């Protein structure tokens, strides 16, 4: 999993201002491989639709990844004939590689892509990008599985699609409904920070990007689509499914070990209302209570099973102590990750040590209850012991939650001075502005960001043919030194060294 550098914390979302400029607002990428028959009808249909319906300047980019037929020739002719169409060629296959290369080099504030077969009805394009233009969302995806979507496809593909999304929900806790629909868009500033973290260069690229964005707290907007299956699709379902499952395993492992630097994508303080310091409103209390109750219920069952096992060869006090010790370690680890959202290994030993102190308090309560029972009854029934322990554990659970929240896993904003929780913004004429960025469950970081006025959002104007020159990329060229900025970025391949022999398109 990549851990290379990224531009850092994302700026607050803002509505792109309207105006006239030479830069297109929307750059629609069409990744192709051996599509000499379908490419021209697709581009003509898409360009005509945008001319009629899209109110701002746009660009259509044909990304040819190593086609062996006449696709490059068709793309070059379209570029020469139609203003606002450009093409370039990559010498390596992979849809993810093509999208990352074009998106990384594009100067448009909103980036999108769609498959060449145009299975998705184009009337969904404007609703797809509108939330990104307005600043409401960070990414947008078309969904074939939404309730109001209208989809025509065979039962085999329907089953595979729904099964794949169930796997994502069950294994990666994904909340988006359709990972593989070839109809997506992203804001350019988000892409600059997110794409360096995406490793896959093939068909799993979409899923990995969405999972990382969702885990980083970015907002994903879903648009129901009208979608008709392409019977001539060249996608190999078995191979695609196998590679996707490998990708799910890789991402799941990285998330479980905390090796993904998702803190780079955290938004500035105040952009997310959940990060605001609001008086008398406990931060995340409802969610933490639910998580703690679930973990507590499972821990209690685990404890009772252990107690019953240990009771076979030891007394009640020893069995209680051993069962409580083992379940307390598991309980602290589970609450640390699931209830209080702390990832990685930092502070884990200290948290376990504090959890053992809490365990000692619970041990006193449960051991005292057993001692009182033994005083009252010389030979109590096993069921009676379990009932007493359950009651004692309920009392210990309430105390454990209060200690976890206030001492073991406190709201780290309480440790910061008041000045660190406020946003200090200078006048627009000032060259810099000070913001405080926070990651939920992580420490504060003070960031100085250059203050830049957004370029005005251009209306559509006819662009000269010479404005879009066909650019060819050679495998092995380097582009790691690309500098991000609001100015036009020259087309350069991003991370072309990620040669993946598994790519089949």
């Amino acid at each position: 999993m990549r851990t290379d550098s990224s531009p850092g914390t994302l700026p607050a979302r803002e509505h792109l201002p309207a105006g006239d400029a030479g830069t297109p607002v929307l750059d629609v990428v069409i990744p192709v491989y051996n599509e000499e028959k379908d490419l021209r009808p697709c581009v003509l249909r898409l360009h005509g639709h945008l001319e009629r319906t899209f109110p701002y300047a746009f660009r259509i980019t044909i990304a040819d990844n190593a086609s062996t037929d006449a696709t490059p020739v068709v793309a070059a002719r379209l570029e020469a004939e139609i203003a606002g169409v450009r093409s370039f060629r990559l010498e390596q296959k992979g849809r993810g590689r093509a999208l990352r290369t074009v998106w990384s080099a594009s100067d448009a504030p909103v980036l999108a892509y769609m498959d060449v077969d145009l299975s998705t009805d184009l009337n969904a394009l404007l609703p797809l990008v509108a939330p990104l233009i307005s600043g409401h969302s960070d990414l947008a995806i078309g969904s074939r599985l939404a309730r109001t979507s209208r989809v025509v496809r065979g039962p085999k593909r329907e089953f595979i699609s729904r099964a794949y999304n169930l796997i994502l929900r069950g294994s990666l806790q994904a909340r988006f409904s359709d990972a593989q629909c070839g109809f997506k868009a992203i804001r350019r500033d988000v892409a600059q920070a997110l794409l360096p973290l995406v490793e896959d260069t093939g068909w799993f690229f979409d899923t990995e990007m969405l999972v990382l964005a969702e885990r980083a707290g970015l907002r994903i907007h879903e648009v129901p689509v009208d979608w008709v299956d392409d019977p001539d699709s060249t996608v190999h379902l078995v191979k695609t499914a196998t590679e996707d499952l490998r990708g799910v395993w890789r991402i799941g492992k990285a998330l479980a070990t905390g090796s993904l630097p998702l803190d780079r994508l955290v938004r500035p303080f105040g952009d997310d209302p959940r990060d605001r310091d609001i008086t008398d409103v406990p931060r995340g209390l409802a969610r933490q209570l639910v998580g703690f109750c679930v973990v507590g219920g499972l821990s209690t069952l685990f404890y009772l099973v252990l107690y019953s096992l240990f009771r076979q060869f030891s007394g009640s006090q020893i069995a209680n102590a051993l069962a409580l010790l083992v379940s307390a370690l598991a309980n602290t680890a589970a609450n640390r990750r699931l209830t209080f959202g702390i990832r990685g290994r930092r502070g884990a030993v200290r948290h376990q040590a504090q959890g053992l102190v809490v365990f000692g308090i619970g041990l006193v309560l449960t051991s005292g209850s057993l001692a009182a029972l033994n005083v009252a009854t010389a030979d109590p029934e096993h069921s009676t012991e379990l009932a007493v322990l359950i009651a004692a554990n309920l009392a210990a659970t309430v105390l454990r939650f209060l200690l976890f929240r206030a001492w073991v896993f406190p709201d780290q904003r309480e440790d910061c001075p008041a000045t660190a929780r406020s946003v200090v913004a200078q006048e627009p004429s000032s060259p810099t502005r000070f913001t405080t960025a926070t990651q939920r469950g992580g420490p504060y970081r003070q960031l100085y960001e250059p203050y830049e006025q957004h370029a005005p959002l251009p209306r559509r104007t006819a662009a000269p043919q010479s404005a879009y020159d066909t650019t060819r990329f050679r495998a092995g060229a380097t582009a790691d030194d690309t500098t991000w900025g609001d100015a036009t970025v020259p087309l350069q391949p991003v991370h072309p060294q990620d040669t993946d022999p598994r790519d089949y398109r």
Side-chain angles (χ1 to χ4, degrees):
M1 188 57 58
R2 285 202 180 92
T3 57
D4 52 342
S5 60
S6 72
T9 303
L10 294 173
R13 291 187 296 259
E14 296 181 6
H15 194 300
L16 299 176
D20 293 322
T23 303
V25 175
L26 175 65
D27 192 349
V28 183
V29 181
I30 304 175
V32 292
Y33 173 71
N34 290 348
E35 299 287 356
E36 59 181 359
K37 295 181 179 180
D38 296 334
L39 179 57
R40 184 177 184 84
C42 164
V43 172
L44 293 178
R45 179 182 167 192
L46 175 60
H47 188 272
H49 177 83
L50 290 172
E51 282 282 352
R52 293 190 308 271
T53 64
F54 195 69
Y56 302 114
F58 65 86
R59 176 193 299 148
I60 300 175
T61 302
I62 303 169
D64 173 25
N65 31 254
S67 293
T68 57
D69 61 359
T71 298
V73 178
V74 176
R77 289 177 180 172
L78 289 168
E79 181 182 21
E81 296 173 5
I82 306 174
V85 175
R86 71 174 181 182
S87 67
F88 68 88
R89 175 180 173 85
L90 285 83
E91 298 301 335
Q92 293 175 291
K93 294 192 295 183
R95 183 181 68 170
R97 177 180 287 109
L99 291 176
R100 187 170 61 196
T101 301
V102 178
W103 281 356
S104 298
S106 179
D107 56 350
V110 177
L111 312 168
Y113 96 89
M114 61 182 62
D115 293 334
V116 69
D117 54 20
L118 294 185
S119 295
T120 305
D121 184 72
L122 293 178
N123 287 326
L125 182 56
L126 185 55
L128 183 79
V129 301
L132 309 186
I133 294 176
S134 69
H136 175 271
S137 302
D138 301 294
L139 299 91
I141 64 174
S143 176
R144 299 163 295 185
L145 303 181
R147 291 184 178 181
T148 55
S149 296
R150 293 175 289 190
V151 177
V152 179
R153 61 176 169 180
K156 181 179 178 181
R157 288 180 177 270
E158 181 76 13
F159 172 78
I160 293 176
S161 180
R162 292 189 178 275
Y164 179 63
N165 283 279
L166 285 176
I167 292 174
L168 293 180
R169 288 176 177 269
S171 59
L172 301 180
Q173 299 179 347
R175 294 188 298 273
F176 48 84
S177 64
D178 194 350
Q180 290 287 23
C181 180
F183 197 69
K184 295 182 176 68
I186 186 173
R187 284 176 65 102
R188 176 173 171 262
D189 55 353
V190 176
Q192 291 172 0
L194 185 61
L195 294 184
L197 304 179
V198 180
E199 180 176 336
D200 191 80
T201 58
W203 290 93
F204 189 70
F205 173 87
D206 303 54
T207 303
E208 184 171 357
M209 178 181 68
L210 291 174
V211 170
L212 297 185
E214 188 174 74
R215 288 302 184 97
L218 304 182
R219 176 175 287 164
I220 302 175
H221 177 74
E222 295 197 19
V223 178
V225 297
D226 297 341
W227 196 86
V228 179
D229 189 16
D230 179 16
D232 299 325
S233 175
T234 59
V235 178
H236 302 284
L237 295 181
V238 176
K239 186 180 293 186
T240 301
T242 302
E243 297 300 328
D244 285 347
L245 291 177
R246 290 178 181 175
V248 170
W249 170 258
R250 174 173 55 82
I251 294 297
K253 182 179 178 181
L255 292 173
T257 57
S259 61
L260 281 171
L262 297 180
D263 59 304
R264 299 176 186 173
L265 304 179
V266 67
R267 286 202 170 276
F269 180 80
D271 183 64
D272 191 329
R274 296 170 296 181
D275 292 334
R276 298 175 188 169
D277 190 11
I278 304 176
T279 306
D280 299 329
V281 177
R283 181 167 173 258
L285 179 59
R287 182 187 60 81
Q288 290 177 359
L289 277 173
V290 172
F292 185 82
C293 289
V294 173
V295 172
L298 296 176
S299 298
T300 300
L301 293 177
F302 184 48
Y303 161 79
L304 294 175
V305 171
L306 290 177
Y307 177 81
S308 298
L309 291 176
F310 294 147
R311 192 67 174 85
Q312 301 296 324
F313 55 83
S314 64
S316 61
Q317 294 289 1
I318 296 177
N320 173 64
L322 291 176
L324 196 59
L325 175 61
V326 176
S327 62
L329 294 175
N331 181 276
T332 301
N335 276 306
R336 181 179 186 270
R337 175 64 178 86
L338 302 176
T339 303
F340 297 95
I342 300 178
R343 300 180 177 89
R345 301 178 181 178
R346 183 178 179 182
V349 176
R350 176 175 58 84
H351 293 154
Q352 283 291 355
Q354 292 172 312
L356 289 178
V357 175
V358 179
F359 149 75
I361 298 174
L363 180 61
V364 171
L365 287 175
T366 54
S367 298
S369 301
L370 283 176
L373 177 62
N374 290 328
V375 170
T377 305
D379 188 17
E381 296 286 340
H382 182 65
S383 59
T384 305
E385 288 183 349
L386 292 180
V388 170
L389 288 175
I390 290 174
N393 268 290
L394 288 176
T397 298
V398 175
L399 183 60
R400 185 184 303 119
F401 177 75
L402 296 177
L403 289 175
F404 273 1
R405 182 174 172 81
W407 180 47
V408 183
F409 310 112
D411 185 345
Q412 298 193 22
R413 292 183 303 172
E414 297 173 358
D415 299 331
C416 300
T419 54
R421 297 196 299 266
S422 61
V423 178
V424 182
Q426 300 180 1
E427 294 296 327
S429 58
S430 175
T432 61
R433 64 179 177 181
F434 170 81
T435 60
T436 302
T438 169
Q439 178 188 16
R440 285 186 290 276
Y444 281 81
R445 293 183 302 166
Q446 295 180 348
L447 302 175
Y448 288 89
E449 300 177 355
Y451 184 88
E452 298 176 343
Q453 292 287 349
H454 288 274
L457 190 62
R459 298 289 177 181
R460 185 172 67 246
T461 56
Q465 287 186 350
S466 60
Y468 307 110
D469 295 330
T470 302
T471 305
R472 294 181 178 271
F473 291 91
R474 179 175 54 84
T478 180
D480 289 345
D481 296 330
T482 303
T483 301
W484 298 105
D486 289 338
T488 302
V489 181
L491 282 175
Q492 296 182 7
V494 176
H495 302 291
Q497 68 271 22
D498 296 339
T499 304
D500 190 350
R502 299 174 300 173
D503 291 340
Y504 40 85
R505 177 169 179 172

